[in-house]
Amino acid sequence: MTRRPYIVGNWKMHGTRAMLSEARTIDRAAQRHMKVEVALAPPYTLIHPIHREAEQIAVGAQDCHEADGGAHTGDISAAMVADAGASFVILGHSERRQNHRETDALVRAKAEAALAAGLKIIMCCGESADTRESGKAVAFVKAQLKASLPPADAMPADVAERLTVAYEPIWAIGTGTAATTDDIAEMHGEIRALLIQLFGEEQGSEVRILYGGSVKPDNAAEIFAVPEVGGALVGGASLTADSLMGIALAASEPSAN
């Protein structure tokens, strides 16, 4: 990959104003690791406060609604998160797909809304343990990703700048057990081929593909050495500067992609 490794911390439903000091520490540390692009996706309530103080890192949202506005109590539109200071949004995370029953069609509608609002998107995909054990993981993930992404003619011309894909095997998220390097290599290679098929060689070959699922400082270097791994979407290990920047440091090493 010719683009900088991308390390994104997904704070999920963690974080109050007391966490602002941790975000500041991450931001300052990121200034010393310019070979790596670091970003945080905190809860909605912290997007503006972190954006206001961040000098280096990008700040994003963990989800958005597909509508521009209206009678959607408790929801937040793409334009609203952009107005709060977000530059990107995570979409299609397995926890949204499972806990909120989000379909591929809904995720695609959210992606279209986010792009229209000027946001970059991180599109998540991944299979369950049952799907992996059935031998259908690759086919499932490719179909899920294709159905969740807007078609090529609805994507901006600079696809590689606006789109990041995150492969997160559901069975590895929060379990402490990452996928094997062979599993990651196979899936990332298949995702790369699909992106080139969908968006052409020039753009499809430059879209960063992140790995997510129990990424930690002590296994990050091994994961980043896998072909087509362009960074990581980090959950629990992103809640402290020491842990997240340990992963970022591993991504900055020469052996990392």
Side-chain angles (χ1 to χ4, degrees):
M1 297 288 289
T2 59
R3 304 184 66 198
R4 287 188 297 165
Y6 192 24
I7 308 300
V8 183
N10 175 14
W11 279 7
K12 305 189 180 185
M13 199 171 72
H14 300 284
T16 62
R17 284 181 295 175
M19 287 284 286
L20 288 176
S21 61
E22 205 68 37
R24 281 193 295 269
T25 302
I26 290 170
D27 181 67
R28 303 308 183 262
Q31 296 178 41
R32 301 191 297 273
H33 296 279
M34 297 301 291
K35 293 181 179 179
V36 180
E37 185 176 352
V38 179
L40 286 180
Y44 293 126
T45 52
L46 292 181
I47 291 174
H48 179 65
I50 294 177
H51 167 71
R52 186 177 57 201
E53 296 197 22
E55 298 177 358
Q56 180 65 34
I57 62 173
V59 183
Q62 298 172 20
D63 187 48
C64 69
H65 197 273
E66 71 276 14
D68 293 335
H72 304 288
T73 301
D75 288 310
I76 298 179
S77 72
M80 289 173 176
V81 296
D83 184 61
S87 60
F88 69 91
V89 60
I90 298 171
L91 297 171
H93 193 283
S94 62
E95 290 160 3
R96 298 291 309 180
R97 293 180 188 268
Q98 291 179 318
N99 300 342
H100 297 270
R101 297 178 176 82
E102 292 192 0
T103 63
D104 295 340
L106 176 58
V107 174
R108 176 185 289 199
K110 291 184 175 190
E112 291 170 347
L115 291 168
L119 295 168
K120 299 178 182 181
I121 59 175
I122 297 177
M123 181 60 70
C124 298
C125 56
E127 81 282 3
S128 67
D130 288 344
T131 301
R132 162 86 29 199
E133 291 168 5
S134 73
K136 299 177 181 178
V138 169
F140 175 87
V141 169
K142 290 176 69 175
Q144 182 187 63
L145 180 58
K146 184 176 181 179
S148 299
L149 288 171
D153 59 5
M155 292 289 287
D158 55 342
V159 171
E161 280 295 322
R162 300 288 297 279
L163 171 66
T164 299
V165 173
Y167 168 58
E168 292 197 304
I170 297 170
W171 47 271
I173 298 173
T175 64
T177 302
T180 68
T181 53
D182 287 344
D183 289 339
I184 296 170
E186 178 187 35
M187 192 65 77
H188 280 233
E190 292 285 350
I191 291 172
R192 174 66 66 208
L194 176 61
L195 291 171
I196 291 172
Q197 175 190 330
L198 294 175
F199 305 117
E201 179 73 32
E202 182 178 353
Q203 292 295 320
S205 63
E206 286 297 306
V207 173
R208 287 179 292 199
I209 307 172
L210 313 183
Y211 172 75
S214 296
V215 181
K216 298 168 287 190
D218 60 2
N219 66 8
E222 182 181 21
I223 291 170
F224 294 144
V226 175
E228 302 296 355
V229 173
L233 181 58
V234 186
S238 71
L239 295 175
T240 68
D242 285 348
S243 181
L244 183 62
M245 296 314 298
I247 293 169
L249 180 61
S252 71
E253 295 300 319
S255 61
N257 289 277

